[in-house]
Amino acid sequence: MSNTLFIKKIKTLKELKVSVEILAKGFLWSNDYSELLINSLIKNRNKIDFYGFTLNENDNIIGVILTLCQGFVKISDREILVINLSSWFVSEEHRGYKSIYMLKKITNELSDFIITNFSPNNSARAILKALGYKSMKRSTKNYYSYKFVSDILHKIIFRKNLISKNENSKYPKSQSTNYRDSKFLDLNINGISITLLINDSHISKKIRFLKILDIKIPRLHVLWCSDNNFLKDNFQLICSFLFYEYKTYILSIHCLETSFMPSKKSWRDHFYKSPKNVKIQPFLAGSEYSIKF
């Protein structure tokens, strides 16, 4: 392997902007998306003094990955930070062993932390597994409003208010968690109360052949639920309510087990890697899904 291949921490605002420009070009991000991501990283730069890593060959950046501090877990008076790896991109001509090299070096660099990755594609999944990352029991599944049209229309026509909401939730926030833009939502369903941690955002992309035109598709994330069993038992009703109330097209459920609705394919599996003897599965709050785009 060439001695000119190395990783470098993204520590300055200038380095962050250059890195996000590379990611925006690779993933066809909109300008708004890129700007909001930078602002969130700057605003929440606590506990760690870097924004991510670049993979460099000679004087060229050929790969980028961002790191988001999600907060910490406390074990025997020891605080262990949870770091989310997000937006991993390596130039197409450099993929292969250089991608493996990059993630291996970063994993070693972050070995004292709990590391999460909630959005790996198939290639990234294989590398994560090879490097000892563990698969969580839960995953991200996307649901689309057109599948719930009859329930949504029924609510509109008959004005049935089986669910009421309170966006000024009194659910206590943990001091150890970085919630970013996500918020608690209290729902009362036929007299039974549950709390969701949600974040409304968009899928924001440039059209490849019309790069001046951005498209935005509304998307709502459900990161956590106070009672997963109740959510599953009332899934159709709750999803229809969320589609209607938040006028979203995509509902991304991140908190349920992969085994729920086995016929529904997972969009992204969730992985994590912990220091030795730490067996706590990390949370999703503070990850890339907690940024409001």
Side-chain angles (χ1 to χ4, degrees):
M1 186 178 294
S2 171
N3 291 329
T4 59
L5 193 66
F6 62 97
I7 63 164
K8 181 182 177 184
K9 284 183 177 177
I10 303 167
K11 286 203 166 190
T12 68
L13 179 57
K14 181 179 179 181
E15 291 171 342
L16 176 60
K17 288 181 176 180
V18 169
S19 298
V20 171
E21 283 178 8
I22 292 171
L23 293 173
K25 185 176 180 181
F27 292 126
L28 296 179
W29 287 348
S30 70
N31 294 333
D32 287 345
Y33 187 102
S34 299
E35 185 176 342
L36 287 167
L37 178 58
I38 289 172
N39 289 340
S40 182
L41 283 165
I42 295 171
K43 179 182 176 182
N44 290 278
R45 188 183 184 181
N46 56 358
K47 297 289 186 180
I48 58 175
D49 63 349
F50 55 94
Y51 302 110
F53 296 87
T54 57
L55 176 64
N56 304 266
E57 190 168 58
N58 297 322
D59 295 325
N60 300 315
I61 297 175
I62 60 173
V64 176
I65 196 166
L66 300 179
T67 51
L68 289 78
C69 182
Q70 294 181 245
F72 65 87
V73 296
K74 198 166 186 179
I75 302 175
S76 301
D77 297 327
R78 176 188 173 198
E79 292 183 0
I80 302 176
L81 295 178
V82 182
I83 305 295
N84 178 227
L85 300 181
S86 171
S87 309
W88 183 20
F89 177 79
V90 177
S91 300
E92 189 172 354
E93 64 271 24
H94 294 287
R95 292 170 191 170
Y97 78 88
K98 293 179 184 178
S99 297
I100 299 171
Y101 168 87
M102 180 184 187
L103 192 59
K104 184 176 181 180
K105 289 289 187 180
I106 290 170
T107 299
N108 290 338
E109 186 75 26
L110 302 177
S111 60
D112 291 334
F113 306 141
I114 296 173
I115 314 169
T116 65
N117 191 315
F118 300 124
S119 58
N121 58 25
N122 288 337
S123 298
R125 285 174 75 254
I127 297 174
L128 289 167
K129 286 182 177 181
L131 293 177
Y133 284 73
K134 296 179 181 178
S135 178
M136 299 185 196
K137 293 181 179 179
R138 64 175 185 255
S139 63
T140 298
K141 293 187 178 182
N142 291 332
Y143 301 86
Y144 300 90
S145 57
Y146 69 88
K147 295 280 190 179
F148 295 79
V149 167
S150 61
D151 295 276
I152 295 170
L153 288 175
H154 191 270
K155 176 178 173 59
I156 294 171
I157 294 169
F158 295 101
R159 299 289 181 180
K160 285 196 173 182
N161 295 316
L162 299 176
I163 303 179
S164 61
K165 69 174 182 178
N166 178 18
E167 290 187 324
N168 297 315
S169 173
K170 294 182 180 179
Y171 196 90
K173 284 191 172 184
S174 169
Q175 295 298 313
S176 63
T177 301
N178 181 1
Y179 292 95
R180 295 184 186 271
D181 302 316
S182 56
K183 59 186 178 182
F184 287 115
L185 170 70
D186 293 335
L187 298 180
N188 186 291
I189 305 167
N190 294 325
I192 299 176
S193 297
I194 66 167
T195 301
L196 305 177
L197 182 65
I198 65 169
N199 182 44
D200 53 324
S201 65
H202 296 83
I203 293 177
S204 184
K205 294 281 189 180
K206 287 183 180 292
I207 298 176
R208 189 174 292 275
F209 299 108
L210 296 170
K211 293 187 178 180
I212 61 170
L213 181 63
D214 294 342
I215 59 170
K216 289 186 176 182
I217 302 172
R219 181 184 188 187
L220 183 71
H221 299 279
V222 177
L223 304 173
W224 173 86
C225 178
S226 60
D227 189 337
N228 276 354
N229 288 329
F230 189 81
L231 172 59
K232 288 184 283 189
D233 290 342
N234 297 273
F235 191 75
Q236 193 79 11
L237 178 62
I238 293 172
C239 286
S240 299
F241 176 84
L242 293 173
F243 277 122
Y244 176 76
E245 288 293 317
Y246 290 93
K247 306 298 183 289
T248 188
Y249 178 70
I250 302 172
L251 185 60
S252 295
I253 309 291
H254 305 278
C255 60
L256 294 179
E257 301 89 348
T258 304
S259 58
F260 177 67
M261 288 193 179
S263 61
K264 179 70 176 178
K265 186 178 180 181
S266 295
W267 180 68
R268 290 290 187 262
D269 293 328
H270 300 171
F271 288 86
Y272 75 105
K273 189 174 179 62
S274 300
K276 190 175 181 180
N277 299 324
V278 176
K279 298 181 180 180
I280 295 176
Q281 285 210 17
F283 40 83
L284 271 93
S287 68
E288 59 194 296
Y289 297 128
S290 287
I291 300 175
K292 184 174 182 177
F293 292 118

